[in-house]
Amino acid sequence: MSRYTPKQIGFMKEALRLARQGWGIVSPNPMVGAVLTKRGQIIAKAWHTGPGRPHAEAAVLNEAGRAAKGSELFVNLEPCNHYGRTGPCSEAIVEAGVSKVYYSVLDPNPVAAGGAAALESAGVEVDEGLLAERAWELNQFFFKWVTTGLPFVILKTAASLDGKIATVTGDSRWISSKSARNFVHDIRAGVDAILVGRNTAFKDDPELSARPWGCRKMHNQPWRVVLDPYLRLDRTLKIFNPELGGPTVICCSEQADKSSKEAVRRLGHTVWEIPKVNSGLLSLPSVIAKLGANGIQSTLIECGATLASSALIEDPVGDLVHIFLAPKFIGGQEAPTMIGGPGLPKLDEIKNLEIIKIGRKGPDIHVMVRPSGAFRPPFSSRPIESTGKDLVDSGERDIK
Ligand SMILES: NC(=O)c1ccc[n+]([C@@H]2O[C@H](COP(=O)([O-])OP(=O)(O)OC[C@H]3O[C@@H](n4cnc5c(N)ncnc54)[C@H](OP(=O)(O)O)[C@@H]3O)[C@@H](O)[C@H]2O)c1
């Protein structure tokens, strides 16, 4: 049985809902929402709206004013304890006279941590753990980057029910439904970078921009990152269009032509030299490490078959995989499948994946899996979100 009342759970759910409004807006900061209550009623609500803006706790105290005295605060992350672009939230909470703070998870950022201890020593009661798992999930990009220096990596692939990503003639648009594609645009809107292989950039000529729910322009476009070992991509492709906003980074090998590197740089884009691995492809872990070193907290890899093979089998880098299966058969021995590359020769070399959700996006099946080696929640176990029965009966339920 939960040690929290349904009302307390409801208040933290509201804080998490508010925090989620920072999706794609607040990076490199975490998404934080805050709810202030008195005698079981909400008296103020707020969320962190971006770097340099007031933290959710400061904003909610400001909204409540003197009414904050004797109140209870529900917030999805431990209040900070440091002077950054704004003052320490722990001090503001003590000064406002808040009597108890419920926070879901500790802040792993060593610079900001220590708020809970500071509150306790000032006589404010604190409680850790209310909806901790959901709060961890919400800010897993931030938590991974702060604790490892690497971005959280999401992979996405869409295929027919027989696992094909294109027909024998290479026709690939669109296999998945509009609902699935809208969902991917929502992910694009929340990540710091989108990464593709050169063939996808060439064949599909994508913008690699986030256009969630029909909104074309976002003020913060993710970085576009393309693996093009010999810089052979045509510079009239959309990824080179400077008007799209957000930088384009082309990853190439040392052997790439010097004049091609200069030509890409002259267009205002960035060129990174990346070492090659035995297969002759660029080292994906090196690309991911370089993104992390440049402050990128999250990356969406939109996988062609070759890139899926590198990212999932040869040099695994993924933390979460979204697979969309459209209810159609494409067939054809030569039609490309979801994962190309050389494949694994023996079944006992294959690592099991953890299914964390089976659901639907419009007519498509949506499967979310966590590869072995992925960044994991610091909680003992995670139940499977849905069963085969849910797949038939229910609509969609997202935990992102
Ligand atoms: N259904 C989906 O969800 C989905 C998503 C994306 C793309 N696609 C489809 O996938 C097709 C393209 O897939 P693809 O397999 O031909 O190519 P790809 O995965 O898009 O790109 C592969 C190429 O990228 C370069 N590369 C460099 N380092 C790499 C690394 N570590 N791992 C993988 N690639 C690396 C290589 O270029 P070099 O050859 O120069 O060495 C390699 O041949 C397109 O038709 C596109 O429509 C489908």
Side-chain angles (χ1 to χ4, degrees), residues 31-312:
M31 289 173 269
V32 186
V35 165
L36 212 54
T37 71
K38 229 174 181 178
R39 289 182 280 279
Q41 299 300 321
I42 294 179
I43 59 166
K45 306 179 195 189
W47 56 284
H48 176 50
T49 54
R53 314 261 316 142
H55 288 183
E57 300 91 319
V60 84
L61 292 172
N62 190 36
E63 194 191 315
R66 284 159 52 165
K69 197 167 170 52
S71 64
E72 294 191 334
L73 173 66
F74 292 80
V75 58
N76 57 297
L77 186 68
E78 177 191 22
C80 80
N81 194 36
H82 81 306
Y83 285 92
R85 279 176 277 201
T86 54
C89 290
S90 50
E91 271 182 21
I93 292 166
V94 173
E95 271 166 31
V98 173
S99 60
K100 184 163 182 175
V101 175
Y102 292 87
Y103 66 93
S104 306
V105 283
L106 279 172
D107 190 339
N109 182 1
V111 178
L119 288 169
E120 264 190 313
S121 59
V124 179
E125 207 183 328
V126 292
D127 182 286
E128 180 193 327
L130 178 50
L131 298 186
E133 200 162 321
R134 287 197 195 193
W136 183 88
E137 255 168 8
L138 183 74
N139 278 312
Q140 53 192 340
F141 300 173
F142 172 80
F143 294 152
K144 181 174 179 192
W145 185 80
V146 161
T147 55
T148 67
L150 297 170
F152 189 93
V153 178
I154 300 173
L155 289 96
K156 167 261 160 182
T157 181
S160 59
L161 261 191
D162 55 337
K164 304 287 184 186
I165 62 165
T167 65
V168 274
T169 62
D171 195 6
S172 62
R173 287 181 129 174
W174 301 101
I175 287 180
S176 55
S177 65
K178 199 157 191 296
S179 305
R181 298 200 308 275
N182 279 339
F183 179 77
V184 174
H185 271 288
D186 190 36
I187 299 175
R188 280 185 175 192
V191 294
D192 293 340
I194 305 170
L195 188 152
V196 296
R198 73 170 305 282
N199 296 348
T200 298
F202 172 70
K203 288 185 189 165
D204 296 353
D205 193 12
E207 272 188 21
L208 298 185
S209 58
R211 306 184 296 274
W213 307 107
C215 149
R216 259 199 94 67
K217 287 276 169 210
M218 293 205 340
H219 58 94
N220 248 348
Q221 282 294 344
W223 290 22
R224 287 175 290 278
V225 185
V226 183
L227 308 179
D228 184 16
Y230 299 102
L231 295 181
R232 289 179 292 151
L233 283 173
D234 188 332
R235 257 102 56 204
T236 60
L237 289 170
K238 288 182 191 143
I239 51 158
F240 291 111
N241 178 357
E243 286 171 17
L244 285 179
T248 295
V249 177
I250 309 292
C251 298
C252 68
S253 69
E254 208 188 340
Q255 290 82 28
D257 187 49
K258 210 172 159 197
S259 60
S260 302
K261 289 182 199 164
E262 277 156 19
V264 172
R265 289 190 180 116
R266 267 199 307 277
L267 287 172
H269 304 305
T270 302
V271 177
W272 285 351
E273 271 185 22
I274 302 291
K276 282 191 187 172
V277 289
N278 290 342
S279 60
L281 296 171
L282 301 177
S283 158
L284 205 46
S286 303
V287 175
I288 298 300
K290 193 146 181 157
L291 286 169
N294 279 274
I296 294 293
Q297 294 187 351
S298 54
T299 302
L300 171 67
I301 304 186
E302 300 203 9
C303 293
T306 315
L307 189 47
S309 167
S310 295
L312 286 167

